[in-house]
Amino acid sequence: MIQAETLELLEWPRLCQHLATFAATKLGVAAALDLEIPATQAQTAELLAQTQEAYQLESRAGGALSFEGIQDIGTSLQRAELQGLLSGEELLAIATTLAGARQLRRIIDSQADVPTLKELAAQLRTYPEVEQEIHRCIDDRAQVADRATPKLAGIRVQMRQLRDRIYQILQGILQRQSNAVQEQLITQRSGRFVVPVKAPQKDAIPGIVHDSSASGATLYVEPHSTVNLNNQMRQLLRQEQAEEEAVRRALTEQVAAVKPDLDRLVVVVTTLDLAAAKARYSFWLQANPPKFIELGEPELAPKNPEKEDEEKEDEENSENSQLLIRNLRSQITLRQLRHPLLVWQQQHEQGFPVVPVDLTIGPHIRVVAITGPNTGGKTVTLKTLGLAALMAKAGMFVAAREPVELPWFDNILADIGDEQSLQQSLSTFSGHIRRISRILEVLHNKSQAEGEENSNLKITNFQQQEEEVTDPQNTVSAFPILKPKLQIPQPQIPIANSQLPIPKSLVLLDEVGAGTDPSEGSALAIALLKYLAQHSLLTVATTHFGELKALKYQDSRFENASVEFDDNSMQPTYRLLWGIPGRSNALTIAKRLGLLASIVEEAQTYVGGASQDVNQVIAGLEAQRRKQETKAREATQLLHQTEKLHREVSQKAAALQERERELKIAQEVAVNEAIGSAKSEIAQIIRRLQSGNQTAQNAQQATETLNQISEKHLPSRQQPAKPKPGFMPKVGDRIRIPSLGQTAEVLSGPDANEELSVRFGIMKMTVKLGEIESLDGQKPETKAQLAKAAAQAQALATAKAKQAAAEPAKPNPEIAIRTANNSIDLRGARVSDAEIEIDRALSKAVEYGVLWIIHGKGTGQLRRGVHEFLANHPQVSRFELASQKEGGAGVTVVYLK
């Protein structure tokens, strides 16, 4: 069967062996070694959901599934169903399995977001009563315990008493006849207690001889005095065995009664262990879950350019000869795809580093032709893709970078390697043809099963032929589908949508058309690939035929790819390049592998000029592609550096903003403390005035004290810090010249013209004092700047003096004190009445310089009316709402001119 052959060719059993090492139970190991490939996409989705949820649990702390105590009890269950008798070990294994399954279900039920695993765990019936009964009757040594039945306990009490009597009698004989015995030992032969007696002195201890040593020097004698006791012991032993069998029989019947549920338990536990093994394997492999691409709407297949003339002659036939096909909805994406077996070899067998490949195949591509040098990695690419498709289909993660997107293939068929066989009289070419014929038979049967009734295709099965084919030419003639000038029959009637062919097979062909005449082999390969483009979802083929490289430019369903070859090192890089056909580089590789240089040079002369030109063009394309990839990597690195710099700048900006916020908070705290201190001192002055006689002298003292408080706490009253003296360069100082962007050393100080000599590097020059600055950014003070600053200060002082002379003297209102004389309460008044009261109060409060108006909060209408009146009053300098301590929005403070 070609499907089984494909699994062997892709080394699927070896991957299953690797998977089995991650299983926790023998059941899981057996299931992993015989891992089945699902037949439907729904089954794959179920398995993939189990793997993903198990992967989540493995990633959580304390959430990993535990399979402790679970054993393979399938054989025991079958024997119990057939009314066999289970041993103590088998019964104990069943009990521990039930306990382990219960613990497993408890772990799953305690986790969130695992609906698939919870649905599986809900099917576990663990029968705690059966487990408890087994543990009651069977001890840890897998023996039937005394507590199993009272009768068994009584029998064993009698046996212990009888054994003690036998030992007492035999010990007395050993002591009395110490010279006749070989050693002071009581042993058993044939289930009876005996003593070792020297052969020459056997008459000293009369009894029955049951055995002798190999040398004959020792006889094992049962004394006559213990014969009856041994007989009684044998009877009790048989009674014990019968009672133990009765106990185990009862337990076996209990197990047989629930056998269907226990069978289901075994299946569920095996499924969970297999899902956990897949999750652990995926975690070790650094794999990602696949996403399956669905098929899109049906489209007409591209026309064959060779038939365009014929189709123009009969347009109706040309339309009917086209087959409706369905392309994928999106492209196949497998980036950084690694071969799992090579990863294992690298990790566990000290293999070479694994070179990942990028597979990005458009949704309309049906055939990919991979060309390139021998030993370049073409076959490994085929196997990697095949294993990735199998792993995804089996519900496993794929060793590729996210996103992992590929179709669900109903068949994965491969022709890889050489099927040459002397025993079956098969040549290399014949072996390939027989395997390809089996692949086409599967595709044909699949099409028939899906309702493709209008296909006139008939495939010959070479396995049923009695005559083995050995001649390549005869093989081609006997295989009508693959003749060089192949005419594939087309349906003559349009296909209904319900009968559309849905090709969902993956076909992998290694060295297609090889092993025969190159011209016929290439013609055969072209016909085969064109057929597969119509009857399989994706075909990937490796070849050395140059004719296959041109199919891309004739049919949009074809794509070229090549494995890269380094011309400098003369070795393949194992990287896959898309869109560029490869060079075989056979002569270069032959020379590298040790073939005589003279032979290689002579062979070079036989290579056609056109072939050399094509290879040069391909080499130029590869070099250009490498340059573009190098530039892309550099651009990516630059982008990463820019992003890193942006993050650093953003972090520093955030830190500065946080620092600024902290400084503002600290300043607010300091201001609030100063305000609180000033208010406290002012309150003391007010209390002192209110408690004493309110004389003019006391008021004057209070005013002076308030002025001192304002000088202490108000920033506007504090003397500004004296400015630092301007920077003046001295000889030997390092200064900066902004106009030149240079730092220099001062050779001589500024002269009367404010010029100084400097040196930077080997150059000396004279610069103006205003053209330099210190290294920390300070500008020197020039004479013009000093004169200008002095003139501005003089003018400011003169202006202040004139303003002070013009203004009349009035009370100092810096610190306003609220009293009954400069406060008015308007709460409850109308706006018109309030305006009259405010006008009167303003005329009385002129000497205080400030007036408090209490209007309350309410609806705010009175406050708005008061503010409108104050805004147009000629005596009002400004007004504002009072602080929260003085009434907030319910009080307005008015400052008078």
Side-chain angles (χ1 to χ4, degrees):
M1 188 175 181
I2 188 62
Q3 288 89 342
E5 290 182 42
T6 298
L7 296 181
E8 291 292 336
L9 293 173
L10 297 178
E11 300 180 87
W12 177 253
R14 187 177 164 201
L15 185 141
C16 293
Q17 291 177 2
H18 297 169
L19 174 64
T21 61
F22 292 89
T25 66
K26 292 183 178 180
L27 295 169
V29 170
L33 291 175
D34 192 22
L35 188 61
E36 296 183 358
I37 308 297
T40 64
Q41 189 171 350
Q43 295 174 350
T44 297
E46 179 73 15
L47 294 176
L48 192 57
Q50 296 172 7
T51 305
Q52 288 176 312
E53 293 180 6
Y55 189 91
Q56 294 177 10
L57 295 183
E58 291 293 329
S59 303
R60 296 175 185 173
L65 298 179
S66 173
F67 297 88
E68 184 178 359
I70 296 176
Q71 302 180 41
D72 185 2
I73 59 174
T75 305
S76 302
L77 295 179
Q78 291 179 359
R79 190 159 67 255
E81 185 181 28
L82 297 174
Q83 298 182 354
L85 182 63
L86 299 183
S87 65
E89 290 83 358
E90 292 173 318
L91 291 170
L92 197 60
I94 292 174
T96 57
T97 300
L98 292 174
R102 188 181 306 109
Q103 177 64 20
L104 183 62
R105 184 179 62 191
R106 194 174 293 121
I107 293 174
I108 294 175
D109 290 340
S110 65
Q111 300 295 325
D113 303 328
V114 286
T116 305
L117 297 186
K118 285 187 176 180
E119 184 178 354
L120 279 174
Q123 303 176 27
L124 292 174
R125 296 194 61 186
T126 56
Y127 292 99
E129 65 278 6
V130 175
E131 175 195 345
Q132 293 174 2
E133 183 64 15
I134 292 176
H135 281 302
R136 188 186 70 84
C137 298
I138 307 297
D139 59 20
D140 295 338
R141 299 173 301 167
Q143 302 295 325
V144 180
D146 293 351
R147 58 180 177 271
T149 62
K151 181 178 180 181
L152 179 62
I155 292 173
R156 288 181 174 175
V157 169
Q158 297 179 29
M159 291 178 65
R160 284 192 291 271
Q161 293 175 352
L162 190 59
R163 185 182 298 108
D164 292 341
R165 290 179 57 191
I166 294 173
Y167 264 74
Q168 185 178 5
I169 294 173
L170 294 179
Q171 285 289 353
I173 294 174
L174 290 175
Q175 292 177 1
R176 291 192 302 269
Q177 303 292 338
S178 59
N179 294 330
V181 297
Q182 193 74 28
E183 56 181 322
Q184 297 288 325
L185 176 67
I186 299 176
T187 184
Q188 284 186 326
R189 288 293 185 274
S190 303
R192 305 178 75 87
F193 292 98
V194 295
V195 293
V197 180
K198 297 176 182 179
Q201 301 183 21
K202 64 178 180 178
D203 295 334
I205 303 177
I208 302 172
V209 178
H210 288 278
D211 196 6
S212 63
S213 63
S215 62
T218 304
L219 301 177
Y220 295 95
V221 178
E222 177 187 5
H224 290 304
S225 57
T226 61
V227 170
N228 290 332
L229 296 178
N230 273 323
N231 291 338
Q232 295 178 21
M233 180 64 72
R234 292 297 297 273
Q235 293 176 359
L236 291 175
L237 185 60
R238 282 192 290 270
Q239 293 178 12
E240 179 193 30
Q241 291 174 350
E243 190 63 22
E244 287 179 351
E245 288 183 3
V247 171
R248 288 190 284 116
R249 175 71 63 187
L251 295 176
T252 301
E253 291 175 354
Q254 293 186 31
V255 171
V258 295
K259 194 254 184 184
D261 291 333
L262 295 187
D263 284 337
R264 183 60 187 164
L265 180 144
V266 171
V267 172
V268 171
V269 168
T270 304
T271 303
L272 292 173
D273 189 17
L274 187 58
K278 293 177 182 177
R280 298 188 191 105
Y281 183 51
S282 301
F283 187 82
W284 173 84
L285 200 57
Q286 297 180 358
N288 289 295
K291 177 183 177 183
F292 294 111
I293 308 171
E294 299 298 333
L295 292 173
E297 296 299 324
E299 301 175 359
L300 283 177
K303 298 180 180 180
N304 190 342
E306 297 179 357
K307 297 182 180 180
E308 288 183 355
D309 297 336
E310 299 176 5
E311 292 177 354
K312 288 179 181 178
E313 296 177 359
D314 190 354
E315 294 181 359
E316 183 178 357
N317 290 338
S318 71
E319 292 179 0
N320 292 336
S321 65
Q322 298 223 27
L323 189 64
L324 287 171
I325 61 174
R326 298 173 66 182
N327 292 327
L328 297 174
R329 294 184 182 274
S330 60
Q331 67 178 9
I332 299 174
T333 304
L334 295 170
R335 293 189 177 92
Q336 300 294 305
L337 179 63
R338 293 166 290 131
H339 195 298
L341 302 184
L342 294 182
V343 175
W344 182 278
Q345 184 176 345
Q346 178 191 359
Q347 297 289 336
H348 295 277
E349 301 173 11
Q350 303 300 320
F352 294 101
V354 180
V355 179
V357 296
D358 292 335
L359 295 176
T360 306
I361 305 174
H364 64 284
I365 299 299
R366 291 302 181 92
V367 178
V368 177
I370 303 178
T371 54
N374 293 306
T375 69
K378 299 190 299 295
T379 303
V380 173
T381 301
L382 291 183
K383 290 186 175 182
T384 304
L385 175 59
L387 278 180
L390 285 173
M391 292 173 70
K393 194 173 180 181
M396 302 170 66
F397 289 7
V398 179
R401 192 182 68 188
E402 286 189 306
V404 178
E405 298 177 343
L406 73 165
W408 188 90
F409 297 105
D410 52 10
N411 280 304
I412 300 169
L413 310 170
D415 172 32
I416 299 175
D418 191 356
E419 203 180 286
Q420 182 180 17
S421 173
L422 297 177
Q423 198 172 29
Q424 299 181 16
S425 301
L426 287 176
S427 66
T428 299
F429 179 77
S430 302
H432 281 295
I433 292 299
R434 289 197 55 175
R435 191 179 284 158
I436 291 174
S437 70
R438 292 194 292 273
I439 291 175
L440 296 181
E441 183 181 4
V442 172
L443 296 178
H444 180 62
N445 294 338
K446 185 67 177 178
S447 299
Q448 287 183 339
E450 291 175 355
E452 193 176 2
E453 299 175 354
N454 51 355
S455 174
N456 296 323
L457 181 63
K458 185 176 181 180
I459 300 180
T460 304
N461 187 353
F462 281 83
Q463 286 182 324
Q464 297 176 357
Q465 290 186 1
E466 306 217 353
E467 181 179 357
E468 300 295 340
V469 182
T470 57
D471 184 13
Q473 182 64 34
N474 292 337
T475 301
V476 175
S477 356
F479 193 42
I481 294 177
L482 301 178
K483 286 183 179 180
K485 295 184 179 180
L486 180 66
Q487 299 294 331
I488 299 177
Q490 300 286 349
Q492 298 302 316
I493 57 173
I495 301 176
N497 289 340
S498 60
Q499 296 178 345
L500 290 174
I502 307 176
K504 297 186 67 175
S505 298
L506 171 64
V507 180
L508 306 172
L509 302 177
D510 189 24
E511 302 294 350
V512 58
T516 185
D517 180 76
S519 60
E520 295 186 353
S522 62
L524 186 62
I526 291 172
L528 174 62
L529 293 183
K530 287 186 176 182
Y531 175 80
L532 290 175
Q534 198 68 45
H535 292 82
S536 69
L537 182 58
L538 178 63
T539 300
V540 182
T542 66
T543 182
H544 288 284
F545 293 136
E547 292 81 358
L548 270 65
K549 304 174 186 177
L551 289 176
K552 171 185 177 180
Y553 308 104
Q554 302 173 6
D555 193 333
S556 61
R557 297 173 299 174
F558 285 74
E559 180 60 278
N560 284 332
S562 61
V563 288
E564 188 180 37
F565 188 82
D566 191 349
D567 293 329
N568 296 325
S569 63
M570 295 298 174
Q571 291 184 353
T573 63
Y574 305 106
R575 294 178 62 243
L576 195 63
L577 305 178
W578 287 89
I580 299 178
R583 298 169 291 157
S584 295
N585 293 296
L587 300 181
T588 303
I589 294 176
K591 185 177 181 180
R592 181 171 62 87
L593 295 177
L595 191 64
L596 289 176
S598 59
I599 298 177
V600 175
E601 293 173 358
E602 184 175 356
Q604 190 72 42
T605 61
Y606 298 138
V607 177
S611 177
Q612 290 183 349
D613 294 339
V614 172
N615 285 336
Q616 290 177 359
V617 172
I618 295 175
L621 291 175
E622 291 178 353
Q624 185 178 3
R625 179 167 187 153
R626 282 194 293 269
K627 289 181 181 179
Q628 295 298 331
E629 289 179 349
T630 301
K631 291 181 180 179
R633 283 195 300 269
E634 293 175 353
T636 302
Q637 292 177 357
L638 182 60
L639 178 61
H640 291 165
Q641 292 175 0
T642 304
E643 292 175 348
K644 180 180 179 182
L645 181 61
H646 179 267
R647 287 194 298 269
E648 292 176 354
V649 171
S650 300
Q651 292 173 358
K652 290 182 179 179
L656 289 175
Q657 291 177 356
E658 181 65 20
R659 176 61 178 165
E660 182 179 0
R661 189 182 67 82
E662 293 176 355
L663 288 176
K664 286 183 178 179
I665 293 175
Q667 290 175 354
E668 290 178 0
V669 171
V671 170
N672 290 332
E673 290 178 353
I675 292 173
S677 177
K679 287 183 177 180
S680 176
E681 296 178 8
I682 292 171
Q684 292 178 3
I685 295 172
I686 294 174
R687 285 195 298 270
R688 193 163 57 247
L689 286 173
Q690 292 176 347
S691 62
N693 296 325
Q694 299 181 3
T695 62
Q697 184 177 2
N698 291 338
Q700 182 63 30
Q701 291 178 355
T703 302
E704 292 177 356
T705 305
L706 292 176
N707 289 334
Q708 293 175 0
I709 295 173
S710 64
E711 293 288 344
K712 177 180 178 183
H713 294 287
L714 290 178
S716 59
R717 297 297 186 87
Q718 296 178 3
Q719 293 293 332
K722 294 183 179 180
K724 296 182 180 179
F727 166 68
M728 186 57 63
K730 300 184 295 294
V731 176
D733 288 351
R734 300 286 298 177
I735 53 92
R736 182 184 294 110
I737 307 175
S739 60
L740 301 178
Q742 298 286 340
T743 58
E745 180 184 358
V746 178
L747 299 179
S748 63
D751 54 14
N753 296 327
E754 295 187 338
E755 293 182 349
L756 63 160
S757 299
V758 298
R759 176 177 61 193
F760 55 90
I762 60 174
M763 296 182 60
K764 295 181 181 180
M765 65 181 301
T766 302
V767 295
K768 289 287 188 181
L769 187 62
E771 296 177 353
I772 68 169
E773 64 182 16
S774 65
L775 296 181
D776 58 358
Q778 296 184 37
K779 292 287 186 180
E781 291 184 349
T782 63
K783 293 180 180 180
Q785 292 174 342
L786 292 175
K788 183 178 180 181
Q792 290 176 350
Q794 183 65 30
L796 182 61
T798 304
K800 287 184 177 180
K802 290 181 179 180
Q803 183 179 2
E807 291 181 357
K810 63 180 180 179
N812 191 350
E814 285 87 352
I815 303 300
I817 301 175
R818 180 177 175 181
T819 63
N821 296 327
N822 59 357
S823 299
I824 180 174
D825 192 350
L826 300 177
R827 286 177 291 186
R830 298 173 179 268
V831 176
S832 57
D833 298 335
E835 292 178 351
I836 299 173
E837 295 295 330
I838 292 172
D839 190 57
R840 293 175 183 173
L842 288 174
S843 61
K844 294 179 181 180
V846 173
E847 58 180 328
Y848 299 102
V850 65
L851 174 67
W852 275 267
I853 301 176
I854 305 172
H855 45 66
K857 297 179 181 179
T859 62
Q861 184 175 0
L862 179 59
R863 180 179 68 249
R864 287 191 295 272
V866 170
H867 286 182
E868 291 176 359
F869 178 75
L870 293 175
N872 299 319
H873 200 284
Q875 288 183 281
V876 176
S877 172
R878 62 186 177 89
F879 60 89
E880 61 185 14
L881 293 176
S883 64
Q884 290 295 331
K885 294 183 179 179
E886 294 182 343
V891 177
T892 297
V893 182
V894 185
Y895 296 93
L896 307 181
K897 294 182 179 179

